[in-house]
């Protein structure tokens, strides 16, 4: 079942816990930028023209009868925790994603209450019993449910949008209901976009090009289910995009596969909340400690062919990658981290996935050359050199014909599939060569033992080598001042496979296997 988000709006929560009602004109103040400024307001104070960020003196000058009290963050955290514990009676997946709203995942618990509406009514009743004015909405997306609860539901009421009908329910709401940033709101107003429905009619590619930071909200406007995490970052940009789950004593692959979908969903939600897409994952297993050796861990890298936010696309890739992992002890915990991400800019079919391509190859090459420049497209032509960094040279794509041509080339050249053409010219080899070769080998530190690498320093920290293959000796070019004399090794460390070599007692990193 897909995500079904219940949002309970508690617009007055921060003031109600301080003893005020939603009908009172009151606010919380905190010292900021050398002045006392408004941090939160009751709905009544907002209606009278006060805004968060105003100084206390500005607020009193505009509304003399306003009551302002100091914010107590520690007490507010305790009250939030108490409220969430009370909401456990509805779902154990509940959290404050906004200061004025609690989000529940109803997908797996609604049937326990006789349906989504009764579950939402139960949550509203719990909040009211604790003295909070509340209203709620259920939709396919948390932001959509919050917009509906805030703009289309009366206090104490519940609005349940059937699956797949979110866009229709959002269409009449104003753009402000999706909490756009001020520049985005002004930009949409400037082109005559006032409602969510009008915005949903815009082409996604146009939105990505003109308002790239708004792509996530545009998907919500179109009714596409999204993440149930906050659109704003939960922390600094350097905070790891990571999800983990305890697996006390797991010994079977079925137990690992059982928690995998939930971990990927949680990770993709966090990635989508930052408008990013995943390029590479690390899957880490923390193993049970045995004897005096301490806890061990196994790390597996997963590189994604196309940047994605989709758990369903990641799931089979991760399962396939971890299928060959041998675990020496029961698993205590599994964690998945997005270690390489890129900004999400939507997807243009046909650029890299040949199954989606409908454009003839000559037209595609011409269009890419126009956009990227005439030298951006090339084929790698083998050079008669032992030195790996000099073993190829760029030539025009498609590559020129060889004589004699490899089997299948004649048929491949009549195809519009660039991958089929390239594969026809590729010669199979028993020696491993990395897909990503560094233009200049990088010096690294390697700890050796019995003539083999034991630890390598990658990314600024020393990593144990989990698998080692080699050496492959490359010797030649004796006439040069620096003749070639290298011993290449393939090592797996930190979830990635690296191609390293030793030359004149020094070690270098030369490439990565994809």
């Amino acid at each position: 079942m897909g995500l079904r988000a219940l949002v309970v709006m508690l617009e007055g929560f921060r003031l109600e816990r301080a003893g005020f009602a939603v009908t009172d004109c009151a606010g919380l103040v905190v010292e900021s930028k050398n002045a006392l400024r408004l941090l939160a307001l009751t709905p009544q104070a907002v209606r009278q023209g006060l805004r968060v960020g105003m100084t206390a003196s500005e607020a009193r000058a505009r509304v003399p009868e306003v009551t302002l009290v100091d914010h107590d963050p520690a007490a507010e955290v305790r009250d939030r925790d108490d409220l969430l514990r009370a909401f456990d009676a509805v779902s154990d997946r509940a959290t404050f994603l906004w200061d004025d709203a609690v989000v529940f995942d109803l997908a797996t618990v609604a049937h326990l209450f006789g349906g989504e509406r009764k579950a939402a009514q139960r949550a509203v009743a719990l909040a009211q019993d604790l003295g909070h004015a509340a209203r709620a909405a259920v939709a396919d997306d948390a932001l959509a449910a919050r917009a509906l609860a805030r703009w289309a539901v009366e206090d104490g009421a519940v609005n349940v949008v059937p699956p797949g009908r979110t866009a229709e329910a959002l269409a009449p709401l104003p753009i402000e209901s999706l909490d756009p940033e001020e520049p985005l709101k002004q930009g949409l107003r400037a082109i005559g976009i006032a409602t969510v429905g009008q915005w949903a009619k815009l082409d996604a590619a146009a939105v990505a090009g003109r308002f790239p930071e708004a792509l996530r909200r545009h998907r919500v406007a179109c009714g596409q289910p999204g993440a149930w995490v906050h659109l704003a970052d939960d922390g600094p940009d350097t905070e790891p995009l990571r999800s983990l789950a305890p697996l006390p004593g797991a010994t079977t692959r079925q137990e690992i596969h059982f928690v995998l979908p939930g971990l990927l969903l949680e990770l993709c939600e966090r990635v989508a909340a930052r408008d990013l897409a995943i390029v590479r994952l690390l899957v880490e297993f923390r193993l049970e400690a045995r004897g005096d050796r301490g806890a061990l861990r196994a790390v597996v890298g997963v590189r994604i062919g196309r940047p994605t936010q989709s758990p369903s696309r990641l799931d089979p890739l991760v399962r396939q990658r971890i299928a060959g992992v041998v675990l020496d002890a029961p698993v205590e915990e599994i964690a998945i981290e997005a270690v390489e991400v890129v900004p999400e800019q939507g997807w243009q079919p046909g650029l890299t996935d040949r199954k989606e391509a409908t454009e003839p190859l000559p037209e595609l090459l011409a269009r890419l050359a126009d956009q990227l420049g005439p030298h951006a497209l090339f084929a790698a032509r083998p050079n008669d050199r032992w030195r790996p960094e000099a073993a190829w040279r760029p030539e025009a794509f498609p590559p020129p014909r060889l004589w004699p041509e490899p089997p299948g080339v004649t048929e491949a050249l009549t195809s519009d599939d660039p991958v089929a053409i390239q594969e026809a010219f590729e010669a199979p080899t028993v020696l491993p060569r990395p897909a990503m070769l560094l233009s200049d080998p990088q010096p690294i530190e390697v700890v050796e033992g019995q003539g083999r690498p034991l630890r390598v320093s990658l990314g600024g920290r020393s990593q144990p080598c989990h698998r080692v293959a080699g050496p492959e000796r490359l010797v030649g070019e004796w006439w040069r001042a620096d003749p070639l004399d290298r011993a290449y090794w393939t090592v797996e460390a930190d979830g990635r496979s690296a191609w390293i070599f030793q030359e004149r007692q020094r070690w270098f990193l030369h490439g990565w296997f994809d």
Side-chain angles (χ1 to χ4, degrees):
M1 181 180 293
L3 171 71
R4 291 293 287 168
L6 161 63
V7 170
V8 177
M9 283 297 303
L10 303 166
E11 286 186 291
F13 172 76
R14 305 184 82 179
L15 275 300
E16 287 169 341
R17 54 161 299 277
F20 297 97
V22 293
T23 55
D24 294 331
C25 184
L28 297 179
V29 292
V30 65
E31 187 170 352
S32 175
K33 299 179 181 178
N34 299 319
L36 284 178
R37 298 182 182 274
L38 299 183
L39 177 67
L41 296 162
T42 60
Q44 178 64 24
V46 174
R47 284 192 288 269
Q48 294 199 29
L50 300 186
R51 295 291 181 267
V52 171
M54 278 185 176
T55 65
S57 56
E58 289 173 333
R60 291 192 178 99
R62 178 169 295 188
V63 184
E65 65 273 17
V66 67
T67 302
L68 302 179
V69 297
D70 291 334
H71 178 229
D72 185 347
E76 181 174 315
V77 169
R78 289 194 298 270
D79 289 345
R80 286 190 179 200
D81 291 342
D82 290 342
L83 183 60
L84 292 179
R85 278 194 292 271
F87 280 145
D88 280 345
V90 177
S91 172
D92 60 352
R93 288 200 68 186
T95 186
F96 271 94
L97 295 186
W98 296 272
D99 290 332
D100 58 359
V102 178
V103 180
F104 301 77
D105 182 5
L106 286 187
T108 58
V109 300
H111 67 282
L112 301 176
F113 299 88
E116 293 176 339
R117 181 171 298 278
K118 290 184 178 180
Q121 291 170 341
R122 172 64 171 153
V124 169
L126 280 171
Q128 291 174 332
D129 290 343
L130 294 172
H132 300 294
R135 55 187 185 272
V138 180
D140 294 333
D141 181 89
L143 181 62
R146 179 175 183 260
L148 292 164
R150 186 178 179 185
W151 292 81
V153 180
E154 298 293 332
D155 282 342
V158 169
N159 182 9
V160 177
V161 179
R165 303 286 293 276
T166 299
E168 180 182 340
L170 290 174
L173 299 185
I175 285 295
E176 290 80 1
S177 65
L178 294 182
D179 282 343
E181 300 292 338
E182 190 61 29
L184 172 60
K185 182 169 65 176
Q186 295 299 331
L188 292 174
R189 292 285 185 181
I191 59 176
I193 303 297
T195 68
V196 176
Q198 292 172 332
W199 192 17
K201 293 179 181 179
L202 295 181
D203 181 71
V207 173
R210 192 165 184 175
F211 308 109
E213 72 285 355
L215 193 58
R216 162 76 173 95
R217 286 174 171 82
H218 182 261
R219 293 195 195 100
V220 175
C222 295
Q224 299 175 14
W228 73 297
V229 298
H230 198 342
L231 287 170
D233 289 348
D234 293 328
D237 290 340
T238 56
E239 181 182 352
L241 291 165
R242 182 181 178 90
S243 61
L244 57 90
L247 277 175
T251 58
T252 66
R253 209 159 296 279
Q254 287 80 5
E255 293 173 283
I256 296 173
H257 289 174
F258 180 77
V259 301
L260 191 59
L263 283 172
L264 291 174
L265 175 61
E266 181 181 348
L267 179 64
C268 289
E269 288 167 351
R270 293 177 180 172
V271 170
R274 299 186 186 182
D275 281 333
L276 300 173
I278 298 171
V279 176
R280 186 165 64 89
L281 296 173
L282 281 187
V283 183
E284 179 180 342
F285 300 95
R286 187 171 64 82
L287 307 181
E288 184 181 274
R290 287 189 173 180
D292 58 353
R293 70 179 186 180
L296 300 178
R297 69 187 188 109
V299 181
V300 180
V302 182
R303 180 166 289 277
I304 316 304
R306 182 175 88 193
T308 184
Q309 300 173 341
S310 169
S312 60
R313 176 170 171 77
L314 294 174
D315 189 281
L317 296 176
V318 174
R319 289 174 188 261
Q320 181 181 21
R321 188 67 179 87
I322 67 177
V325 177
V326 178
L327 302 175
D328 298 329
V331 179
E332 289 290 330
E333 185 179 76
I334 177 173
I336 302 180
E337 181 177 347
V339 293
E340 188 175 341
V341 294
V342 295
E344 167 63 16
Q345 297 292 338
W347 174 247
Q348 183 175 359
L351 272 180
T352 60
D353 190 340
R354 63 185 186 274
K355 295 187 295 295
E356 298 179 358
T358 58
E359 188 176 11
L361 178 61
E363 284 80 356
L364 173 62
L365 296 179
R367 180 166 58 82
L368 291 179
D370 289 342
Q371 294 292 324
L372 306 177
H375 303 295
L377 305 178
F378 62 87
R381 172 83 170 195
N383 265 348
D384 189 13
R385 300 287 187 274
W386 283 109
R387 192 178 297 269
E389 58 268 35
W392 67 277
R393 64 180 184 272
E395 288 197 355
F397 186 88
R401 298 193 177 201
L402 304 177
W403 187 263
E405 290 179 344
V409 167
T410 302
E411 295 79 7
L413 290 177
T414 63
S415 170
D416 286 334
D417 184 352
V419 178
I421 297 175
Q422 182 64 32
E423 288 179 346
F425 282 96
E426 292 177 350
T429 175
V430 297
L431 299 175
R433 289 295 181 268
M436 294 173 286
L437 190 70
L438 304 181
S439 56
D440 296 307
Q442 298 179 359
I444 58 173
E445 294 182 6
V446 175
V447 177
E448 302 176 55
Q450 298 180 350
R452 299 168 64 84
L454 297 181
R455 299 183 68 89
V456 297
S457 293
L458 300 174
R461 55 196 181 105
S462 180
Q463 304 286 340
C465 298
H466 298 295
R467 293 183 178 86
V468 178
E472 177 193 351
R473 292 293 301 276
L474 295 182
V475 181
E477 301 180 352
W478 53 266
W479 58 90
R480 293 180 45 157
D482 57 337
L484 181 69
D485 187 357
R486 298 176 182 175
Y488 276 89
W489 298 81
T490 301
V491 300
E492 183 173 326
D494 199 23
R496 304 182 69 181
S497 294
W499 204 41
I500 65 175
F501 69 86
Q502 185 182 32
E503 186 175 34
R504 299 179 185 91
Q505 305 303 314
R506 298 177 61 196
W507 286 90
F508 298 86
L509 170 67
H510 206 173
W512 296 98
F513 290 92
D514 192 355

